[in-house]
């Protein structure tokens, strides 16, 4: 087979971890450019968190509305808490336990954080990712990196470098390839003020684990017009094709053009006439989370499939976070 020159050229901005790749990424970031960064949750579109030009570029590349604030990523807890005002003891406790990892804390911001990062809100979202490539980049850069998920606004979050490439194309000069994301769902977002902690987004750390450490966590009820966490609009994580949520496996129609985002081993699966992506045949929620976005993307891209189907997962642990995304993806 002859090599396809367009394909080689296309893949040029995807590079694996090396000292040169990190230096190149840091150079681009210092110039106010954006870089694709792997994290343990999903891939991020990273830019200098303290440079308004870089922040504007992130919004532009993602086609994200300016009312939706960004998460600032840090190499360690000390760096994260340094940009927050009146850090409560609960935040420190959560940081000690879950950082580095898939938890984002929303705290009162210090003056130095640009308004563009927080959409003018008095609070800022902070996270310390554990992925070794994110860690290497943050340490080499030496400051906070703003990084939303590296998809166009409202679409499926990318969990590998090629998915970033497919979503954002040439708009990103460099995408660091850190392999498939181990967690596969975005971080859990928790608002900490004087009152009870408030869950703004279910995510990679099950809320039960947070409650075991700091006591009851209040659940935010999504409001379409003025959401407390602006990113939590009702329609999000959306495939191009319609996704139908049904209550039981028996309600997934056995049609050739149906794409089933399956979980576990329901009896009707064996005779199903459509295309199956099983996110965890053994019924494991962590495995399901890790495969979720990739499976949805694959069904969306499969030419045989016209409609996607899914049944909500067990409503505990990461199942809650997956269901929240399924509901939004179904609109
Ligand atoms: O796992 C993750 O969190 C990934 C990786 C790349 O770190 N990032 C991510 O970013 O999911 P993004 O921008 O797709 O989602 C950030 C969420 C949005 O729902 C946003 O509205 C919310 O965090 N958020 C950010 N700052 C906030 C603030 N000050 N108050 C309330 N919500 C905030
Ligand atoms: Mg996102």
């Amino acid at each position: 087979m002859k090599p396809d020159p367009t394909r080689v050229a296309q893949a040029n901005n995807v590079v694996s971890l090396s000292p040169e790749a990190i230096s190149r990424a840091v150079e681009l970031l210092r110039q106010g450019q954006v870089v694709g960064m792997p994290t343990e949750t999903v891939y991020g579109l990273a830019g200098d968190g303290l440079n308004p030009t870089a922040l504007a570029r992130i919004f532009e590349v993602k086609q994200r509305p300016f009312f939706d604030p960004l998460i600032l990523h840090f190499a360690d807890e000390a760096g994260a808490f340094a940009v927050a005002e009146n850090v409560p003891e609960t935040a420190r406790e959560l940081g000690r336990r879950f950082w580095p990892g898939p938890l984002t804390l929303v705290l009162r911001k210090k003056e130095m954080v640009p308004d563009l990062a927080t959409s003018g809100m008095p609070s800022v979202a902070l996270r310390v990712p554990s992925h070794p490539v994110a860690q290497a980049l943050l340490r080499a850069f030496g400051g906070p990196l703003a990084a939303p998920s590296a998809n166009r606004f409202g679409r499926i979050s990318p969990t590998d470098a090629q998915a970033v490439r497919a979503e954002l194309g040439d708009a990103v000069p460099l995408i660091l390839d850190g392999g498939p994301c181990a967690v596969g769902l975005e971080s859990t977002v928790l608002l900490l003020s004087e009152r009870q902690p408030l869950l703004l987004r279910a995510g990679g750390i099950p809320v039960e684990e947070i409650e075991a450490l700091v006591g009851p966590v209040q659940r935010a009820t999504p409001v379409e017009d003025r959401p407390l966490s602006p990113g939590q609009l009702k329609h999000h994580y959306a495939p191009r094709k319609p996704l139908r949520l049904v209550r039981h496996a028996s309600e997934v129609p056995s049609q050739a053009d149906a794409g089933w985002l399956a979980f576990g081993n329901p009896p009707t699966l064996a005779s199903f006439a459509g295309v199956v992506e099983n996110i965890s045949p053994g019924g494991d929620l962590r495995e399901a989370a890790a495969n979720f976005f990739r499976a949805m993307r694959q069904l969306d891209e499969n030419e045989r499939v016209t409609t996607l189907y899914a049944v909500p997962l067990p409503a505990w642990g990461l199942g809650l976070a997956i269901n929240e995304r399924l509901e939004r993806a179904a609109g």
Side-chain angles (χ1 to χ4, degrees):
M1 214 171 74
K2 266 202 280 176
D4 176 353
T6 54
R7 271 202 70 110
V8 176
Q10 267 193 356
N12 261 352
N13 60 353
V14 178
V15 298
S16 358
L17 180 64
S18 69
E20 295 73 38
I22 294 290
S23 311
R24 175 82 187 118
V26 168
E27 188 183 310
L28 288 165
L29 291 167
R30 296 234 162 93
Q31 292 165 4
Q33 304 241 42
V34 292
V35 163
M37 171 177 78
T39 85
E40 69 280 19
T41 58
V42 300
Y43 274 67
L45 180 65
D48 182 345
L50 302 180
N51 175 354
T53 309
L55 297 169
R57 180 80 186 129
I58 292 177
F59 283 96
E60 181 190 13
V61 170
K62 261 199 77 127
Q63 297 164 18
R64 177 178 177 120
F66 284 106
F67 65 74
D68 192 4
L70 304 172
I71 297 174
L72 293 188
H73 297 68
F74 298 83
D76 54 36
E77 287 167 57
F81 290 141
V83 305
E85 206 80 77
N86 310 327
V87 178
E89 186 45 38
T90 320
R92 296 193 188 278
E93 231 175 301
L94 287 163
R96 271 195 298 274
R97 170 72 192 277
F98 295 111
W99 280 348
L103 176 68
T104 294
L105 299 177
V106 178
L107 298 170
R108 179 159 278 277
K109 83 175 187 85
K110 274 194 183 143
E111 189 68 35
M112 64 195 282
V113 179
D115 280 338
L116 213 47
T118 66
S119 299
M121 299 209 287
S123 58
V124 62
L126 310 170
R127 173 160 121 76
V128 178
S130 65
H131 194 292
V133 177
Q135 277 286 332
L137 185 61
L138 283 161
R139 284 182 195 283
F141 182 65
L145 290 175
S149 50
N151 50 280
R152 266 165 298 137
F153 186 69
R155 302 240 320 121
I156 305 171
S157 303
T159 52
D160 60 50
Q162 286 312 321
V164 179
R165 170 75 224 175
E167 265 300 296
L168 303 176
D170 293 319
V172 188
L174 186 76
I175 300 167
L176 293 170
D177 190 346
C181 301
V183 177
L185 300 177
E186 295 86 346
S187 60
T188 302
V189 181
L190 203 63
L191 173 70
L192 296 175
S193 52
E194 314 79 67
R195 309 173 117 252
Q196 205 179 6
L198 179 67
L199 181 70
L200 295 178
R201 177 175 74 185
I205 304 269
V207 66
E208 297 93 324
E209 284 184 29
I210 293 170
E211 291 187 312
L213 185 71
V214 299
V217 169
Q218 202 186 327
R219 270 62 161 178
T221 39
V223 187
E224 175 77 77
D225 51 343
R226 271 191 62 204
L228 204 48
S229 184
Q232 293 303 82
L233 297 172
K234 236 174 157 182
H235 198 68
H236 216 94
Y237 312 108
R240 290 198 176 82
K241 295 168 187 168
L243 167 70
R244 303 244 148 79
L245 268 185
V246 296
R247 253 177 298 168
H248 298 287
S250 60
E251 293 167 41
V252 178
S254 183
Q255 292 161 194
D257 66 345
W260 187 353
L261 193 75
F263 171 80
N265 191 19
T268 46
L269 197 59
S271 59
F272 178 64
V275 180
V276 178
E277 281 292 330
N278 198 332
I279 56 176
S280 177
D284 179 79
L285 290 170
R286 280 189 192 275
E287 182 186 34
N291 290 328
F292 175 65
F293 283 129
R294 184 196 45 77
M296 187 148 72
R297 194 179 284 276
Q298 254 159 29
L299 290 176
D300 202 24
E301 283 165 6
N302 190 312
E303 279 167 19
R304 271 182 62 195
V305 175
T306 58
T307 308
L308 279 58
Y309 291 87
V311 183
L313 271 57
W316 49 269
L318 293 180
L320 280 172
I322 296 172
N323 288 346
E324 191 180 287
R325 285 158 182 75
L326 275 176
E327 273 155 33
R328 291 213 164 81

